[in-house]
Amino acid sequence: MASKTTNSDQTGEQQPKADSTEAQFPDLTVHAEGTADRLRRVNEPGKADCLETVEVELAVEYDIDSYDEWRNLVDPDYAIHGRTVEKGTIIDDLLDRLEGHYRRQSSSRYEAPDWNLTVTGSATAWRRLLMEFSQMRGSGSDRAHKGTLRLKRLLAADLVDTGAALAALELINQYDLDRSTDTFIAEVTDSTDGE
């Protein structure tokens, strides 16, 4: 059984903003695929209600609509001295958004090794997230430096796509940052080798 969900507008029409000065959040999409248990209530005549567990393969897509949603998904400031991303927690949160009741089969709070999880977006979207929407203080150069560090952590956690690596390379070039580009170049090279 496969399932797919998205919160994006099915008609493709742009909805007018209540406040015309409010900037539109960059187009970032969460993709998650894996195995989960679906709990459903069984109500047969003459028998007590019970819950039945059905194993399902899920493919979930979720468009991130605001910086608060981004922070709820993955706090970019998370765990300076520990894990950058709690993958299992993110997937649990995504499953909670679905209709019905789903539960991951793996018990690992952090890893969820049986799930693929990626946040995708263009280089422009990632740059806008870091430079316009992230609540970082300092000059453009300071924010770009912090932003590339955050992107490097998210790449190391295998959470983001090539667009994030390209955004980091653009920021390093634009602001002439004294930062190694090896990690970002390796990501771009790996993605182009596979195509």
Side-chain angles (χ1 to χ4, degrees):
M1 176 179 177
S3 176
K4 182 175 180 177
T5 185
T6 181
N7 72 338
S8 60
D9 185 20
Q10 298 299 318
T11 65
E13 296 176 7
Q14 292 291 331
Q15 298 296 324
K17 293 275 186 190
D19 180 359
S20 61
T21 61
E22 182 181 333
Q24 183 174 345
F25 193 76
D27 292 330
L28 297 174
T29 304
V30 182
H31 301 271
E33 294 181 1
T35 305
D37 287 331
R38 179 175 179 266
L39 303 178
R40 67 179 181 193
R41 185 166 297 283
V42 178
N43 185 7
E44 295 181 13
K47 294 186 178 179
D49 285 354
C50 65
L51 290 177
E52 177 182 59
T53 302
V54 179
E55 182 179 304
V56 293
E57 288 288 327
L58 291 178
V60 180
E61 284 186 11
Y62 187 82
D63 297 332
I64 304 170
D65 290 330
S66 69
Y67 188 68
D68 288 340
E69 282 190 17
W70 167 248
R71 288 187 68 89
N72 287 338
L73 176 75
V74 51
D75 183 346
D77 302 319
Y78 184 80
I80 293 171
H81 301 293
R83 297 178 188 274
T84 302
V85 173
E86 288 186 7
K87 183 178 172 184
T89 302
I90 294 170
I91 293 167
D92 288 342
D93 289 345
L94 288 173
L95 291 177
D96 286 344
R97 295 173 190 251
L98 298 177
E99 291 181 19
H101 185 72
Y102 293 92
R103 175 181 63 204
R104 270 189 307 118
Q105 291 179 325
S106 59
S107 59
S108 169
R109 176 179 168 204
Y110 302 106
E111 297 300 332
D114 56 337
W115 278 78
N116 294 323
L117 177 68
T118 312
V119 180
T120 62
S122 67
T124 302
W126 285 109
R127 284 184 59 161
R128 287 192 61 221
L129 171 69
L130 294 168
M131 300 304 287
E132 297 175 32
F133 286 87
S134 295
Q135 298 161 352
M136 295 186 287
R137 300 191 191 282
S139 67
S141 180
D142 291 339
R143 288 184 291 140
H145 182 77
K146 291 173 188 173
T148 56
L149 177 61
R150 291 178 181 180
L151 287 174
K152 184 175 181 179
R153 288 179 183 158
L154 294 173
L155 276 169
D158 203 24
L159 182 69
V160 296
D161 68 341
T162 306
L166 289 170
L169 290 170
E170 289 175 7
L171 289 170
I172 290 168
N173 184 49
Q174 178 182 353
Y175 291 95
D176 196 25
L177 301 178
D178 184 19
R179 173 174 291 287
S180 172
T181 58
D182 294 348
T183 301
F184 306 118
I185 290 173
E187 171 66 25
V188 173
T189 303
D190 288 348
S191 70
T192 55
D193 286 347
E195 292 178 358

